[in-house]
Amino acid sequence: MIDTRLTRMFDLKYPIVSAPMALAAGGKLAAAVSKAGALGLVGGGYGKGDWLEKEISVAGQTPVGYGLITWAIKENPAALETVLSANPRAVFLSFDDPTPYVARIKDAGVPLICQVQTLKDAQSAVRAGADILVAQGREAGGHGETRTTMTLVPEISTWLVDNAPDVLLLAAGGIADGRGLAASLMLGADGVVVGSRLWASNESLAHKNMISAAIAATGDDTIRSPVSDIARKLDWPVRYTAHSLKNDFTDRWHEDQDGLLKVADEEAEKWMAAWRAGDIRNASTMVGESAGLILERGPAGEIIAAIASEAEVHLRRGVELLES
């Protein structure tokens, strides 16, 4: 059993949180993760009301948390109220200043998790009132920036020890097995956020074709690019790019983003049709570099238990190295 501040804070069996992956991490996945002894999060993403209400219902009475893309709350303020009305275990905000929403979340008595991609963002989130930081490296699937998990986590950990020792730290980005969990704990994290590996679980809402593509891929087959956002006409801040598998779509447009902008209306319709159909050549399979560590699909609970069990083996092995 791995005991950390994260497991004690939420009374967890494992120091693992499932990433709130938009349109993939629904109520079924979040509930399965929580039932397994970790902290499951629903990926509320852009805060689309009907989708969010449905997944809250699917999660049922299982205690789960909810994630929202922070800049999107400005366009849909009701999303935060919808999430808070579901009695969440935590609210996870990503990709913008959380300050305008901290008081409301704290008033509801809900722990606030803020995902950050730089030390500067981590410092800002702490000043805003975050209870937990997620240091996300560029290895992660979906949106992110350029820092790597291996250096970002210990840098933020060192700053927290000196300036905000009560704030917890989670590592994210490229963590798909027990080696990643064990390494993250050694880097100073209290736990990890697992995305791509659970994206390829039985309970994920991701299309089966895309899951199969991720299982067949390696980390070399991924790319960070804004083209899927341009095609979907999503107004993402320019500092963030989306991490996905390379395919015909990225080959066609990654080096011609100005050209894509000129035909964005047409491409938006094509991209969404391809995504709904699970067309891995023309829509984005949103996984990160840990694709090379995903060897099969499986139940989320078994994935969580396997990650934790493997981490314990590696942590014990580390002790043995000192004793030899």
Side-chain angles (χ1 to χ4, degrees):
M1 185 74 71
I2 301 173
D3 177 55
T4 73
R5 293 191 299 173
L6 178 70
T7 60
R8 293 192 293 272
M9 182 176 185
F10 290 100
D11 192 23
L12 304 177
K13 185 176 181 181
Y14 307 120
I16 299 172
V17 177
S18 63
M21 301 166 286
L23 302 180
K28 185 176 182 180
L29 175 56
V33 169
S34 287
K35 288 175 181 177
L39 176 57
L41 300 179
V42 173
Y46 303 94
K48 302 298 183 182
D50 291 346
W51 188 92
L52 194 50
E53 292 281 4
K54 175 185 175 184
E55 298 308 323
I56 288 172
S57 177
V58 170
Q61 298 303 308
T62 303
V64 300
Y66 295 86
L68 292 169
I69 295 171
T70 315
W71 59 261
I73 302 176
K74 298 174 185 176
E75 302 174 8
N76 186 12
L80 180 58
E81 294 306 318
T82 298
V83 162
L84 292 176
S85 70
N87 191 28
R89 295 200 76 187
V91 170
F92 185 118
L93 299 181
S94 307
F95 308 118
D96 200 9
D97 179 14
T99 303
Y101 314 105
V102 172
R104 180 69 187 94
I105 295 169
K106 294 297 182 90
D107 286 346
V110 177
L112 172 60
I113 305 173
C114 290
Q115 182 166 263
V116 298
Q117 288 74 31
T118 67
L119 175 62
K120 182 178 179 180
D121 286 347
Q123 294 165 339
S124 296
V126 168
R127 287 193 294 269
D131 300 296
I132 303 170
L133 296 182
V134 177
Q136 183 205 44
R138 64 166 285 115
E139 299 93 331
H143 289 86
E145 281 200 81
T146 59
R147 289 293 305 272
T148 63
T149 307
M150 191 72 177
T151 59
L152 182 62
V153 174
E155 185 174 358
I156 292 177
S157 174
T158 297
W159 185 85
L160 288 175
V161 168
D162 293 335
N163 296 276
D166 293 332
V167 174
L168 275 62
L169 177 62
L170 308 182
I175 300 163
D177 60 18
R179 292 170 294 184
L181 171 54
S184 297
L185 296 175
M186 293 302 96
L187 292 175
D190 297 289
V192 297
V193 174
V194 175
S196 296
R197 183 64 192 93
L198 290 168
W199 179 93
S201 68
N202 291 350
E203 294 86 354
S204 169
L205 297 175
H207 197 284
K208 63 180 182 180
N209 294 352
M210 294 182 172
I211 292 177
S212 295
I215 292 171
T218 72
D220 295 342
D221 299 320
T222 67
I223 186 172
R224 278 207 165 276
S225 177
V227 294
S228 63
D229 295 326
I230 295 172
R232 291 181 291 171
K233 303 178 73 174
L234 293 174
D235 191 20
W236 268 88
V238 295
R239 60 183 285 196
Y240 303 111
T241 54
H243 205 170
S244 65
L245 295 185
K246 300 172 186 174
N247 61 4
D248 292 353
F249 179 79
T250 58
D251 289 347
R252 184 164 61 249
W253 294 117
H254 181 65
E255 299 296 338
D256 186 21
Q257 294 170 28
D258 289 339
L260 178 57
L261 283 167
K262 294 176 182 177
V263 293
D265 288 343
E266 178 184 348
E267 287 299 321
E269 185 175 338
K270 289 181 181 178
W271 193 97
M272 287 305 302
W275 183 80
R276 286 191 291 268
D279 180 351
I280 62 173
R281 295 170 57 190
N282 295 297
S284 302
T285 298
M286 292 286 189
V287 292
E289 291 179 12
S290 64
L293 304 176
I294 302 172
L295 305 179
E296 61 183 356
R297 191 171 185 172
E302 292 184 9
I303 292 170
I304 293 291
I307 291 173
S309 177
E310 184 185 356
E312 289 184 25
V313 170
H314 286 287
L315 291 170
R316 290 193 181 98
R317 186 172 297 163
V319 174
E320 291 171 2
L321 289 173
L322 290 175
E323 294 175 348
S324 62

